[in-house]
């Protein structure tokens, strides 16, 4: 799966985690590993221009999704196909999302993760115009985010445990010294 990210927003954010949550959401939705996605973080004025041009609404917004492929049952990105599916673009506006994050009582990064999953679901054909659609989409969004946080926390716990184990093994002399080539010295 190819996920490209470009930060043109002027706001420093850990881009790797945005790619990570997008990849997690796409995996959860069984999207083909051949799929391609682009994520762009933009400034307020750029988002305002896109919002007005494509949605005919004034001012900036938090996230917009621009699907590339039409999603009929024969060519969904989560179905078997002969080639890569160009999912489309997700455009995020961190400056706009900052205020939303503050109001929601969480970090900007948590808000950007939420918006990324929201954008992915829009690219896959989900919408929230009708109450039933909104329940489905937001329920799915919340489930994916909860599972992402759980997986991330578990990976962090495992990494901390590996680090602690390595310190203990090193303290008692059970760690393997590295050879000049970078691998274990006694590897056969």
């Amino acid at each position: 799966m190819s996920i490209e990210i470009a930060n043109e927003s002027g706001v420093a954010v850990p881009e790797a985690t945005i790619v990570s949550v997008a990849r997690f959401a796409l995996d959860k939705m069984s999207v083909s590993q051949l799929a391609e996605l682009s994520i762009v973080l933009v400034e307020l004025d750029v988002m305002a221009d896109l919002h007005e041009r494509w949605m005919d609404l004034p001012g900036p917004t938090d996230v917009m999704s621009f699907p590339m492929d039409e999603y009929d049952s024969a060519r969904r990105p989560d179905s078997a196909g002969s080639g890569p599916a160009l999912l489309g673009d997700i455009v995020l506006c961190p400056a706009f999302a900052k205020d939303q994050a503050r109001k929601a009582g969480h970090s900007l990064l948590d808000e950007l993760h939420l918006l990324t999953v929201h954008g992915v679901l829009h690219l896959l054909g989900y919408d929230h115009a009708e109450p039933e659609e909104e329940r489905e989409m937001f329920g799915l969004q919340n489930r994916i985010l909860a599972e992402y946080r759980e997986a991330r926390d578990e990976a962090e716990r495992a990494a901390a445990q590996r680090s602690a184990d390595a310190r203990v093994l090193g303290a008692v002399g059970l760690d393997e010294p590295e050879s000049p080539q970078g691998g274990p010295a006694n590897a056969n």
Side-chain angles (χ1 to χ4, degrees), residues 37-188:
L37 171 65
S38 172
I39 302 171
V40 182
L41 288 78
V42 299
E43 295 177 336
L44 284 167
D45 59 337
V46 173
M47 185 60 100
D49 179 57
L50 291 171
H51 199 216
E52 186 170 333
R53 187 175 346 154
W54 294 101
M55 301 298 291
D56 203 24
L57 295 169
T61 189
D62 51 5
V63 60
M64 293 184 72
S65 297
F66 297 93
M68 296 299 256
D69 285 342
E70 291 297 319
Y71 298 120
D72 58 31
S73 60
R75 187 62 179 122
R76 285 187 54 97
D78 54 351
S79 67
S82 60
L86 300 174
L87 293 178
D89 301 318
I90 297 173
V91 182
L92 302 170
C93 185
F96 191 90
K98 273 184 186 180
D99 190 46
Q100 288 182 169
R102 184 185 52 74
K103 288 177 183 172
H106 56 236
S107 71
L108 173 60
L109 189 55
D110 284 340
E111 186 72 11
L112 291 173
H113 286 170
L114 181 150
L115 297 172
T116 300
V117 172
H118 189 86
V120 164
L121 292 175
H122 273 307
L123 291 178
L124 297 177
Y126 289 87
D127 202 356
H128 47 85
E130 300 296 325
E132 186 175 318
E133 293 175 331
E134 182 176 345
R135 277 190 300 280
E136 179 184 15
M137 183 176 178
F138 283 55
L140 187 54
Q141 173 181 292
N142 292 338
R143 183 177 55 100
I144 290 169
L145 283 168
E147 290 175 10
Y148 172 76
R149 288 183 195 113
E150 185 178 312
R152 179 194 62 200
D153 292 348
E154 180 56 36
E156 288 172 0
R157 279 191 294 278
Q161 185 62 53
R162 282 191 301 277
S163 177
D165 291 348
R167 283 192 306 276
V168 169
L169 291 173
V172 297
L174 294 177
D175 61 335
E176 294 187 41
E178 287 198 13
S179 71
Q181 291 80 22
N186 61 354
N188 294 340

